[in-house]
Amino acid sequence: MCYTIPLVATFVLHGLKKTGKVNNQRMAQLHLLLMGGSVMLLIDHLWRGELFLIGPNSMKDLLLGVTMTVGVIMIWWIMGWQMRRKEA
């Protein structure tokens, strides 16, 4: 279940790109990072045979997805901050 949070964020960002509200290289990087995180978590669930398992740990699983999404966004922000610092 943890893969659903970054996957939802990926679809929201994709929708924003389709509407033209967000359309630059940095957002494309975030889109790819979130998609990569979703795929990694999905592969982990497939590997353990828990793809659609909803059990007693589902809240912890969703919290892991939120943590992963926030971590990916923080890494993306740091990457952009470093790039802007080098350009200045």
Side-chain angles (χ1 to χ4, degrees):
M1 292 289 294
C2 60
Y3 59 89
T4 57
I5 304 299
L7 193 60
V8 166
T10 301
F11 284 128
V12 167
L13 189 58
H14 183 72
L16 288 173
K17 283 173 56 177
K18 284 288 188 185
T19 61
K21 293 183 180 180
V22 177
N23 195 15
N24 62 21
Q25 184 64 28
R26 292 222 348 110
M27 289 298 149
Q29 290 173 348
L30 178 59
H31 186 258
L32 289 174
L33 285 170
L34 286 170
M35 184 59 76
S38 300
V39 169
M40 290 299 294
L41 292 171
L42 182 65
I43 289 171
D44 177 54
H45 277 270
L46 283 171
W47 187 271
R48 292 185 288 150
E50 303 176 340
L51 188 57
F52 297 111
L53 181 66
I54 298 174
N57 292 330
S58 60
M59 288 307 292
K60 285 183 180 180
D61 214 19
L62 289 175
L63 183 60
L64 176 62
V66 170
T67 305
M68 177 78 161
T69 303
V70 169
V72 165
I73 292 172
M74 287 177 61
I75 289 169
W76 169 76
W77 184 81
I78 291 169
M79 287 170 42
W81 178 70
Q82 288 290 334
M83 292 171 109
R84 285 190 303 272
R85 209 173 94 181
K86 285 183 181 180
E87 290 173 355

